[in-house]
Short mmCIF file of all heavy atoms in Angstrom, two decimals:
data_model
loop_
_atom_site.label_atom_id
_atom_site.label_comp_id
_atom_site.label_asym_id
_atom_site.label_seq_id
_atom_site.Cartn_x
_atom_site.Cartn_y
_atom_site.Cartn_z
N MET A 1 98.00 76.19 34.34
CA MET A 1 99.34 76.06 33.86
C MET A 1 100.26 75.99 35.07
O MET A 1 100.07 76.72 36.03
CB MET A 1 99.62 77.26 32.97
CG MET A 1 100.98 77.69 32.78
SD MET A 1 101.06 79.02 31.59
CE MET A 1 102.10 78.22 30.42
N GLU A 2 101.21 75.11 35.03
CA GLU A 2 102.16 74.98 36.14
C GLU A 2 103.48 75.65 35.77
O GLU A 2 103.94 75.54 34.65
CB GLU A 2 102.41 73.50 36.45
CG GLU A 2 101.24 72.83 37.08
CD GLU A 2 101.56 71.42 37.54
OE1 GLU A 2 102.75 71.12 37.81
OE2 GLU A 2 100.63 70.62 37.59
N VAL A 3 104.02 76.36 36.76
CA VAL A 3 105.35 76.96 36.59
C VAL A 3 106.15 76.69 37.86
O VAL A 3 105.58 76.55 38.93
CB VAL A 3 105.28 78.49 36.31
CG1 VAL A 3 104.57 78.76 35.02
CG2 VAL A 3 104.63 79.23 37.45
N LYS A 4 107.44 76.65 37.72
CA LYS A 4 108.32 76.52 38.89
C LYS A 4 108.83 77.92 39.20
O LYS A 4 109.42 78.58 38.35
CB LYS A 4 109.48 75.58 38.58
CG LYS A 4 109.04 74.15 38.43
CD LYS A 4 110.21 73.24 38.24
CE LYS A 4 109.69 71.82 38.08
NZ LYS A 4 110.77 70.86 37.92
N ALA A 5 108.61 78.35 40.45
CA ALA A 5 109.00 79.70 40.85
C ALA A 5 109.20 79.76 42.34
O ALA A 5 108.56 79.03 43.09
CB ALA A 5 107.93 80.71 40.41
N ALA A 6 110.05 80.69 42.78
CA ALA A 6 110.29 80.87 44.21
C ALA A 6 109.37 81.93 44.78
O ALA A 6 109.04 81.89 45.97
CB ALA A 6 111.74 81.25 44.44
N THR A 7 108.98 82.90 43.96
CA THR A 7 108.11 84.00 44.43
C THR A 7 107.01 84.25 43.42
O THR A 7 107.05 83.75 42.30
CB THR A 7 108.91 85.30 44.59
OG1 THR A 7 109.36 85.71 43.31
CG2 THR A 7 110.08 85.16 45.55
N ILE A 8 106.04 85.07 43.81
CA ILE A 8 104.97 85.47 42.90
C ILE A 8 105.61 86.18 41.68
O ILE A 8 105.24 85.91 40.54
CB ILE A 8 103.96 86.39 43.59
CG1 ILE A 8 103.20 85.60 44.67
CG2 ILE A 8 103.00 87.01 42.58
CD1 ILE A 8 102.33 86.46 45.57
N ALA A 9 106.55 87.06 41.91
CA ALA A 9 107.21 87.79 40.83
C ALA A 9 107.88 86.82 39.84
O ALA A 9 107.80 87.00 38.62
CB ALA A 9 108.21 88.79 41.37
N ASP A 10 108.52 85.79 40.36
CA ASP A 10 109.16 84.79 39.49
C ASP A 10 108.11 84.06 38.65
O ASP A 10 108.34 83.77 37.48
CB ASP A 10 109.96 83.78 40.31
CG ASP A 10 111.18 84.37 40.96
OD1 ASP A 10 111.64 85.46 40.55
OD2 ASP A 10 111.70 83.73 41.92
N ALA A 11 106.98 83.73 39.26
CA ALA A 11 105.91 83.04 38.53
C ALA A 11 105.40 83.93 37.41
O ALA A 11 105.19 83.47 36.29
CB ALA A 11 104.79 82.65 39.48
N LEU A 12 105.19 85.22 37.71
CA LEU A 12 104.71 86.14 36.67
C LEU A 12 105.74 86.29 35.56
O LEU A 12 105.39 86.34 34.39
CB LEU A 12 104.38 87.49 37.29
CG LEU A 12 103.22 87.50 38.30
CD1 LEU A 12 103.10 88.87 38.94
CD2 LEU A 12 101.93 87.09 37.62
N ALA A 13 107.02 86.34 35.93
CA ALA A 13 108.09 86.46 34.93
C ALA A 13 108.10 85.24 34.01
O ALA A 13 108.26 85.36 32.80
CB ALA A 13 109.43 86.65 35.59
N SER A 14 107.87 84.07 34.58
CA SER A 14 107.87 82.87 33.76
C SER A 14 106.67 82.85 32.84
O SER A 14 106.76 82.38 31.71
CB SER A 14 107.93 81.66 34.67
OG SER A 14 106.88 80.82 34.56
N LEU A 15 105.54 83.41 33.27
CA LEU A 15 104.36 83.48 32.40
C LEU A 15 104.53 84.48 31.27
O LEU A 15 103.91 84.34 30.22
CB LEU A 15 103.13 83.85 33.23
CG LEU A 15 102.57 82.78 34.14
CD1 LEU A 15 101.46 83.35 34.99
CD2 LEU A 15 102.09 81.58 33.36
N THR A 16 105.35 85.50 31.49
CA THR A 16 105.54 86.49 30.43
C THR A 16 106.68 86.12 29.49
O THR A 16 106.98 86.87 28.57
CB THR A 16 105.82 87.89 31.04
OG1 THR A 16 106.94 87.84 31.89
CG2 THR A 16 104.60 88.41 31.79
N ASP A 17 107.28 84.99 29.72
CA ASP A 17 108.29 84.48 28.82
C ASP A 17 107.66 84.29 27.45
O ASP A 17 106.58 83.72 27.32
CB ASP A 17 108.80 83.12 29.34
CG ASP A 17 109.90 82.51 28.51
OD1 ASP A 17 109.78 82.54 27.26
OD2 ASP A 17 110.85 82.02 29.10
N PRO A 18 108.30 84.81 26.39
CA PRO A 18 107.72 84.72 25.06
C PRO A 18 107.35 83.31 24.62
O PRO A 18 106.43 83.12 23.83
CB PRO A 18 108.80 85.31 24.14
CG PRO A 18 109.68 86.10 25.03
CD PRO A 18 109.59 85.49 26.41
N THR A 19 108.02 82.30 25.15
CA THR A 19 107.70 80.93 24.74
C THR A 19 106.40 80.45 25.39
O THR A 19 105.79 79.49 24.92
CB THR A 19 108.84 79.95 25.13
OG1 THR A 19 109.00 79.98 26.54
CG2 THR A 19 110.13 80.35 24.45
N GLN A 20 105.96 81.09 26.46
CA GLN A 20 104.71 80.70 27.11
C GLN A 20 103.50 81.27 26.38
O GLN A 20 102.45 80.68 26.33
CB GLN A 20 104.67 81.18 28.58
CG GLN A 20 105.72 80.55 29.43
CD GLN A 20 105.55 79.05 29.57
OE1 GLN A 20 104.46 78.52 29.50
NE2 GLN A 20 106.64 78.36 29.74
N ASN A 21 103.66 82.51 25.85
CA ASN A 21 102.65 83.08 24.96
C ASN A 21 101.26 83.23 25.57
O ASN A 21 100.28 83.09 24.89
CB ASN A 21 102.57 82.23 23.69
CG ASN A 21 102.35 83.08 22.47
OD1 ASN A 21 102.46 84.30 22.54
ND2 ASN A 21 102.07 82.45 21.37
N CYS A 22 101.15 83.46 26.89
CA CYS A 22 99.80 83.54 27.45
C CYS A 22 99.50 84.77 28.29
O CYS A 22 98.37 85.16 28.35
CB CYS A 22 99.51 82.28 28.29
SG CYS A 22 100.41 82.25 29.82
N ALA A 23 100.47 85.37 28.94
CA ALA A 23 100.13 86.43 29.87
C ALA A 23 100.47 87.82 29.41
O ALA A 23 100.25 88.78 30.13
CB ALA A 23 100.85 86.15 31.22
N SER A 24 100.95 87.99 28.19
CA SER A 24 101.39 89.32 27.77
C SER A 24 100.26 90.33 27.76
O SER A 24 100.47 91.51 27.94
CB SER A 24 102.04 89.24 26.39
OG SER A 24 101.13 88.74 25.45
N THR A 25 99.03 89.88 27.60
CA THR A 25 97.88 90.78 27.62
C THR A 25 97.65 91.33 29.03
O THR A 25 97.34 92.50 29.21
CB THR A 25 96.62 90.06 27.15
OG1 THR A 25 96.82 89.60 25.84
CG2 THR A 25 95.41 90.99 27.19
N PHE A 26 97.82 90.46 30.03
CA PHE A 26 97.52 90.86 31.40
C PHE A 26 98.71 91.46 32.13
O PHE A 26 98.54 92.24 33.04
CB PHE A 26 97.03 89.64 32.20
CG PHE A 26 95.81 89.04 31.65
CD1 PHE A 26 95.79 87.74 31.19
CD2 PHE A 26 94.65 89.79 31.57
CE1 PHE A 26 94.64 87.18 30.69
CE2 PHE A 26 93.49 89.24 31.05
CZ PHE A 26 93.48 87.93 30.62
N ILE A 27 99.91 91.11 31.73
CA ILE A 27 101.08 91.54 32.45
C ILE A 27 102.09 92.15 31.45
O ILE A 27 103.14 91.58 31.20
CB ILE A 27 101.72 90.39 33.23
CG1 ILE A 27 100.66 89.67 34.05
CG2 ILE A 27 102.81 90.88 34.16
CD1 ILE A 27 101.07 88.32 34.55
N PRO A 28 101.75 93.31 30.87
CA PRO A 28 102.67 93.89 29.89
C PRO A 28 103.95 94.38 30.57
O PRO A 28 103.93 94.87 31.70
CB PRO A 28 101.86 95.06 29.34
CG PRO A 28 100.86 95.39 30.38
CD PRO A 28 100.59 94.11 31.13
N ARG A 29 105.07 94.22 29.90
CA ARG A 29 106.37 94.69 30.39
C ARG A 29 106.70 94.17 31.78
O ARG A 29 107.37 94.82 32.57
CB ARG A 29 106.47 96.21 30.35
CG ARG A 29 106.35 96.77 28.94
CD ARG A 29 106.37 98.28 28.94
NE ARG A 29 105.45 98.91 29.85
CZ ARG A 29 104.14 99.08 29.62
NH1 ARG A 29 103.61 98.67 28.52
NH2 ARG A 29 103.36 99.69 30.50
N ARG A 30 106.18 92.98 32.13
CA ARG A 30 106.44 92.33 33.41
C ARG A 30 105.98 93.18 34.60
O ARG A 30 106.47 93.02 35.70
CB ARG A 30 107.90 91.95 33.55
CG ARG A 30 108.29 90.88 32.59
CD ARG A 30 109.64 90.36 32.88
NE ARG A 30 109.96 89.36 31.88
CZ ARG A 30 110.94 88.52 31.97
NH1 ARG A 30 111.73 88.54 33.01
NH2 ARG A 30 111.17 87.65 31.04
N GLU A 31 105.08 94.09 34.38
CA GLU A 31 104.48 94.85 35.48
C GLU A 31 102.99 94.55 35.44
O GLU A 31 102.36 94.63 34.41
CB GLU A 31 104.69 96.35 35.28
CG GLU A 31 106.15 96.77 35.37
CD GLU A 31 106.33 98.23 35.08
OE1 GLU A 31 105.33 98.97 35.05
OE2 GLU A 31 107.47 98.64 34.86
N THR A 32 102.44 94.22 36.58
CA THR A 32 101.05 93.88 36.62
C THR A 32 100.19 95.08 36.24
O THR A 32 100.35 96.17 36.81
CB THR A 32 100.64 93.38 38.05
OG1 THR A 32 101.54 92.36 38.42
CG2 THR A 32 99.23 92.89 38.07
N ALA A 33 99.31 94.89 35.31
CA ALA A 33 98.43 95.97 34.88
C ALA A 33 97.45 96.31 36.02
O ALA A 33 97.10 95.47 36.84
CB ALA A 33 97.64 95.52 33.63
N ARG A 34 97.02 97.57 36.07
CA ARG A 34 96.13 98.03 37.15
C ARG A 34 94.82 97.28 37.17
O ARG A 34 94.19 97.14 38.20
CB ARG A 34 95.86 99.51 37.01
CG ARG A 34 97.03 100.39 37.26
CD ARG A 34 96.66 101.83 37.16
NE ARG A 34 95.70 102.01 36.08
CZ ARG A 34 95.18 103.15 35.71
NH1 ARG A 34 95.50 104.22 36.37
NH2 ARG A 34 94.33 103.24 34.72
N PHE A 35 94.34 96.84 36.02
CA PHE A 35 93.03 96.22 35.95
C PHE A 35 93.08 94.71 36.16
O PHE A 35 92.11 94.02 35.92
CB PHE A 35 92.36 96.55 34.61
CG PHE A 35 93.17 96.11 33.43
CD1 PHE A 35 93.02 94.83 32.92
CD2 PHE A 35 94.07 96.97 32.83
CE1 PHE A 35 93.77 94.40 31.84
CE2 PHE A 35 94.81 96.56 31.75
CZ PHE A 35 94.67 95.27 31.25
N VAL A 36 94.20 94.19 36.60
CA VAL A 36 94.35 92.75 36.84
C VAL A 36 94.50 92.52 38.33
O VAL A 36 95.33 93.15 38.98
CB VAL A 36 95.57 92.19 36.09
CG1 VAL A 36 95.79 90.74 36.42
CG2 VAL A 36 95.36 92.37 34.57
N ASN A 37 93.72 91.60 38.88
CA ASN A 37 93.82 91.24 40.28
C ASN A 37 94.54 89.91 40.40
O ASN A 37 94.29 88.98 39.63
CB ASN A 37 92.42 91.09 40.88
CG ASN A 37 91.68 92.43 40.85
OD1 ASN A 37 92.20 93.44 41.28
ND2 ASN A 37 90.48 92.41 40.32
N LEU A 38 95.49 89.83 41.34
CA LEU A 38 96.24 88.61 41.57
C LEU A 38 95.92 88.07 42.95
O LEU A 38 95.91 88.83 43.93
CB LEU A 38 97.74 88.89 41.47
CG LEU A 38 98.24 89.37 40.12
CD1 LEU A 38 99.70 89.81 40.24
CD2 LEU A 38 98.12 88.30 39.10
N TYR A 39 95.67 86.78 43.03
CA TYR A 39 95.36 86.12 44.28
C TYR A 39 96.26 84.94 44.47
O TYR A 39 96.45 84.13 43.56
CB TYR A 39 93.89 85.63 44.30
CG TYR A 39 92.92 86.77 44.24
CD1 TYR A 39 92.46 87.27 43.00
CD2 TYR A 39 92.44 87.38 45.39
CE1 TYR A 39 91.58 88.32 42.93
CE2 TYR A 39 91.53 88.42 45.33
CZ TYR A 39 91.11 88.89 44.10
OH TYR A 39 90.24 89.93 44.02
N LEU A 40 96.85 84.83 45.64
CA LEU A 40 97.63 83.67 46.02
C LEU A 40 96.79 82.88 47.02
O LEU A 40 96.51 83.36 48.12
CB LEU A 40 98.97 84.09 46.65
CG LEU A 40 99.86 82.96 47.10
CD1 LEU A 40 100.31 82.10 45.91
CD2 LEU A 40 101.06 83.50 47.86
N ASN A 41 96.33 81.73 46.58
CA ASN A 41 95.45 80.89 47.42
C ASN A 41 94.28 81.71 47.98
O ASN A 41 94.02 81.72 49.17
CB ASN A 41 96.26 80.27 48.55
CG ASN A 41 97.39 79.42 48.04
OD1 ASN A 41 97.25 78.74 47.02
ND2 ASN A 41 98.51 79.49 48.70
N ASP A 42 93.59 82.43 47.14
CA ASP A 42 92.43 83.22 47.49
C ASP A 42 92.72 84.48 48.30
O ASP A 42 91.81 85.12 48.79
CB ASP A 42 91.35 82.38 48.21
CG ASP A 42 90.86 81.24 47.35
OD1 ASP A 42 90.76 81.43 46.11
OD2 ASP A 42 90.58 80.16 47.89
N GLU A 43 93.98 84.86 48.48
CA GLU A 43 94.35 86.08 49.18
C GLU A 43 94.84 87.09 48.16
O GLU A 43 95.74 86.80 47.38
CB GLU A 43 95.45 85.83 50.23
CG GLU A 43 94.96 85.05 51.44
CD GLU A 43 96.02 85.01 52.50
OE1 GLU A 43 96.47 86.10 52.92
OE2 GLU A 43 96.39 83.91 52.92
N ASP A 44 94.28 88.28 48.18
CA ASP A 44 94.69 89.33 47.28
C ASP A 44 96.12 89.73 47.62
O ASP A 44 96.44 90.07 48.75
CB ASP A 44 93.74 90.55 47.47
CG ASP A 44 93.92 91.61 46.42
OD1 ASP A 44 95.05 91.80 45.92
OD2 ASP A 44 92.92 92.28 46.10
N ILE A 45 97.01 89.67 46.62
CA ILE A 45 98.43 89.94 46.93
C ILE A 45 98.70 91.37 47.34
O ILE A 45 99.72 91.65 47.94
CB ILE A 45 99.38 89.49 45.79
CG1 ILE A 45 99.23 90.40 44.58
CG2 ILE A 45 99.18 88.04 45.44
CD1 ILE A 45 100.43 90.31 43.65
N ARG A 46 97.75 92.27 47.03
CA ARG A 46 97.95 93.66 47.45
C ARG A 46 98.00 93.79 48.97
O ARG A 46 98.56 94.75 49.51
CB ARG A 46 96.82 94.55 46.92
CG ARG A 46 96.87 94.72 45.41
CD ARG A 46 95.72 95.52 44.94
NE ARG A 46 94.48 94.75 45.16
CZ ARG A 46 93.28 95.11 44.72
NH1 ARG A 46 93.12 96.25 44.10
NH2 ARG A 46 92.24 94.35 44.93
N TYR A 47 97.41 92.81 49.68
CA TYR A 47 97.37 92.87 51.14
C TYR A 47 98.40 91.95 51.81
O TYR A 47 98.43 91.86 53.02
CB TYR A 47 95.95 92.52 51.62
CG TYR A 47 94.93 93.48 51.01
CD1 TYR A 47 94.05 93.03 50.04
CD2 TYR A 47 94.91 94.83 51.35
CE1 TYR A 47 93.13 93.90 49.46
CE2 TYR A 47 94.00 95.69 50.78
CZ TYR A 47 93.12 95.24 49.84
OH TYR A 47 92.23 96.10 49.25
N LEU A 48 99.23 91.28 51.03
CA LEU A 48 100.28 90.46 51.61
C LEU A 48 101.47 91.36 51.95
O LEU A 48 101.78 92.29 51.19
CB LEU A 48 100.73 89.38 50.59
CG LEU A 48 99.68 88.34 50.21
CD1 LEU A 48 100.23 87.44 49.11
CD2 LEU A 48 99.26 87.54 51.41
N PRO A 49 102.14 91.14 53.06
CA PRO A 49 103.23 92.01 53.47
C PRO A 49 104.33 92.16 52.39
O PRO A 49 104.82 93.25 52.16
CB PRO A 49 103.80 91.33 54.72
CG PRO A 49 102.68 90.50 55.24
CD PRO A 49 101.88 90.09 54.04
N ALA A 50 104.69 91.07 51.72
CA ALA A 50 105.77 91.13 50.75
C ALA A 50 105.25 91.31 49.31
O ALA A 50 106.04 91.38 48.38
CB ALA A 50 106.62 89.87 50.83
N LYS A 51 103.95 91.39 49.14
CA LYS A 51 103.31 91.55 47.83
C LYS A 51 103.87 90.55 46.82
O LYS A 51 103.83 89.36 47.05
CB LYS A 51 103.41 92.96 47.35
CG LYS A 51 102.84 93.95 48.39
CD LYS A 51 102.31 95.16 47.80
CE LYS A 51 101.77 96.16 48.77
NZ LYS A 51 101.21 95.79 50.01
N GLU A 52 104.43 91.00 45.68
CA GLU A 52 104.91 90.08 44.64
C GLU A 52 106.20 89.36 45.02
O GLU A 52 106.61 88.41 44.38
CB GLU A 52 105.08 90.81 43.31
CG GLU A 52 103.75 91.20 42.71
CD GLU A 52 103.89 91.86 41.34
OE1 GLU A 52 105.00 91.88 40.77
OE2 GLU A 52 102.86 92.36 40.86
N ALA A 53 106.84 89.78 46.12
CA ALA A 53 108.04 89.10 46.59
C ALA A 53 107.69 87.93 47.53
O ALA A 53 108.60 87.27 48.05
CB ALA A 53 108.95 90.10 47.32
N THR A 54 106.42 87.67 47.71
CA THR A 54 105.96 86.59 48.59
C THR A 54 106.43 85.25 48.02
O THR A 54 106.30 84.98 46.81
CB THR A 54 104.42 86.60 48.70
OG1 THR A 54 104.00 87.84 49.25
CG2 THR A 54 103.91 85.46 49.56
N SER A 55 106.96 84.40 48.89
CA SER A 55 107.40 83.06 48.49
C SER A 55 106.20 82.19 48.12
O SER A 55 105.13 82.33 48.70
CB SER A 55 108.16 82.38 49.61
OG SER A 55 109.34 83.11 49.89
N VAL A 56 106.40 81.30 47.17
CA VAL A 56 105.37 80.35 46.76
C VAL A 56 105.94 78.95 46.80
O VAL A 56 107.14 78.75 46.74
CB VAL A 56 104.80 80.67 45.36
CG1 VAL A 56 104.05 81.97 45.35
CG2 VAL A 56 105.87 80.66 44.31
N SER A 57 105.03 77.97 46.91
CA SER A 57 105.45 76.57 46.90
C SER A 57 104.67 75.82 45.81
O SER A 57 103.78 76.38 45.17
CB SER A 57 105.19 75.93 48.26
OG SER A 57 103.78 75.79 48.46
N ALA A 58 105.02 74.58 45.61
CA ALA A 58 104.39 73.79 44.56
C ALA A 58 102.90 73.58 44.79
O ALA A 58 102.17 73.30 43.85
CB ALA A 58 105.10 72.44 44.47
N THR A 59 102.45 73.74 46.01
CA THR A 59 101.02 73.53 46.28
C THR A 59 100.20 74.81 46.20
O THR A 59 98.98 74.76 46.35
CB THR A 59 100.82 72.89 47.68
OG1 THR A 59 101.38 73.77 48.65
CG2 THR A 59 101.48 71.52 47.75
N ASP A 60 100.85 75.95 45.98
CA ASP A 60 100.14 77.23 45.90
C ASP A 60 99.46 77.41 44.56
O ASP A 60 99.90 76.87 43.54
CB ASP A 60 101.08 78.40 46.13
CG ASP A 60 101.53 78.52 47.57
OD1 ASP A 60 100.71 78.21 48.45
OD2 ASP A 60 102.68 78.95 47.79
N THR A 61 98.39 78.21 44.59
CA THR A 61 97.68 78.57 43.35
C THR A 61 97.70 80.08 43.20
O THR A 61 97.30 80.81 44.13
CB THR A 61 96.23 78.08 43.39
OG1 THR A 61 96.21 76.67 43.53
CG2 THR A 61 95.46 78.48 42.14
N LEU A 62 98.15 80.55 42.06
CA LEU A 62 98.13 81.97 41.74
C LEU A 62 97.05 82.19 40.70
O LEU A 62 97.10 81.64 39.61
CB LEU A 62 99.50 82.39 41.18
CG LEU A 62 99.65 83.86 40.80
CD1 LEU A 62 99.50 84.77 42.03
CD2 LEU A 62 101.00 84.10 40.13
N SER A 63 96.06 82.99 41.06
CA SER A 63 94.96 83.30 40.15
C SER A 63 95.13 84.68 39.57
O SER A 63 95.39 85.63 40.33
CB SER A 63 93.61 83.22 40.88
OG SER A 63 93.42 81.95 41.44
N ILE A 64 95.00 84.80 38.27
CA ILE A 64 95.10 86.08 37.57
C ILE A 64 93.70 86.41 37.05
O ILE A 64 93.21 85.73 36.16
CB ILE A 64 96.11 86.00 36.43
CG1 ILE A 64 97.47 85.54 36.96
CG2 ILE A 64 96.23 87.34 35.70
CD1 ILE A 64 98.48 85.19 35.87
N ILE A 65 93.09 87.43 37.65
CA ILE A 65 91.68 87.76 37.34
C ILE A 65 91.59 89.15 36.79
O ILE A 65 91.87 90.13 37.51
CB ILE A 65 90.81 87.67 38.61
CG1 ILE A 65 91.09 86.40 39.41
CG2 ILE A 65 89.36 87.86 38.28
CD1 ILE A 65 90.55 85.15 38.84
N PRO A 66 91.17 89.31 35.52
CA PRO A 66 90.97 90.68 35.00
C PRO A 66 89.72 91.29 35.65
O PRO A 66 88.73 90.61 35.86
CB PRO A 66 90.82 90.48 33.51
CG PRO A 66 90.48 89.02 33.33
CD PRO A 66 90.94 88.30 34.55
N SER A 67 89.82 92.57 35.99
CA SER A 67 88.67 93.26 36.55
C SER A 67 87.62 93.45 35.48
O SER A 67 87.91 93.58 34.30
CB SER A 67 89.08 94.62 37.09
OG SER A 67 89.95 94.48 38.17
N ILE A 68 86.37 93.51 35.93
CA ILE A 68 85.28 93.77 35.00
C ILE A 68 84.62 95.05 35.46
O ILE A 68 84.25 95.20 36.63
CB ILE A 68 84.26 92.62 35.03
CG1 ILE A 68 84.94 91.33 34.57
CG2 ILE A 68 83.06 92.95 34.15
CD1 ILE A 68 84.08 90.11 34.68
N ALA A 69 84.51 96.00 34.57
CA ALA A 69 83.87 97.27 34.90
C ALA A 69 82.95 97.66 33.74
O ALA A 69 83.11 97.21 32.62
CB ALA A 69 84.92 98.34 35.10
N GLY A 70 82.01 98.45 34.06
CA GLY A 70 81.10 98.86 32.99
C GLY A 70 80.12 99.89 33.52
O GLY A 70 80.20 100.33 34.64
N GLY A 71 79.24 100.21 32.70
CA GLY A 71 78.22 101.20 33.08
C GLY A 71 77.18 101.33 31.97
O GLY A 71 77.11 100.52 31.07
N CYS A 72 76.42 102.38 32.10
CA CYS A 72 75.36 102.59 31.11
C CYS A 72 75.89 103.07 29.80
O CYS A 72 76.82 103.75 29.66
CB CYS A 72 74.36 103.60 31.64
SG CYS A 72 73.60 103.03 33.17
#
């Protein structure tokens, strides 16, 4: 899905827009859930200096990956 955004936070906000109807499970209340990993062009945003305030461009890819955990 393509969105126009200046930062990662803006992109996430646009995905949580009720008309988009796709990210509310992963990003409740516009705060990234603990079990969701976000990558900007294969870089984990937790390790970016500006985190969700990082600027993005039209050629960037933001990946939203739910964590998988389990056990016996």
Side-chain angles (χ1 to χ4, degrees):
M1 155 175 240
E2 289 186 27
V3 297
K4 291 184 180 182
T7 65
I8 293 171
D10 292 341
L12 294 174
S14 119
L15 287 174
T16 57
D17 182 315
T19 62
Q20 297 296 330
N21 217 10
C22 72
S24 60
T25 301
F26 299 118
I27 311 165
R29 297 177 309 280
R30 294 189 181 194
E31 294 176 13
T32 308
R34 291 182 322 180
F35 58 87
V36 174
N37 297 309
L38 297 171
Y39 296 89
L40 179 63
N41 302 321
D42 299 325
E43 290 188 55
D44 190 329
I45 70 160
R46 291 177 293 188
Y47 303 110
L48 296 175
K51 305 209 182 330
E52 290 183 9
T54 300
S55 297
V56 294
S57 70
T59 59
D60 287 327
T61 299
L62 180 63
S63 301
I64 303 170
I65 314 285
S67 294
I68 298 174
C72 300

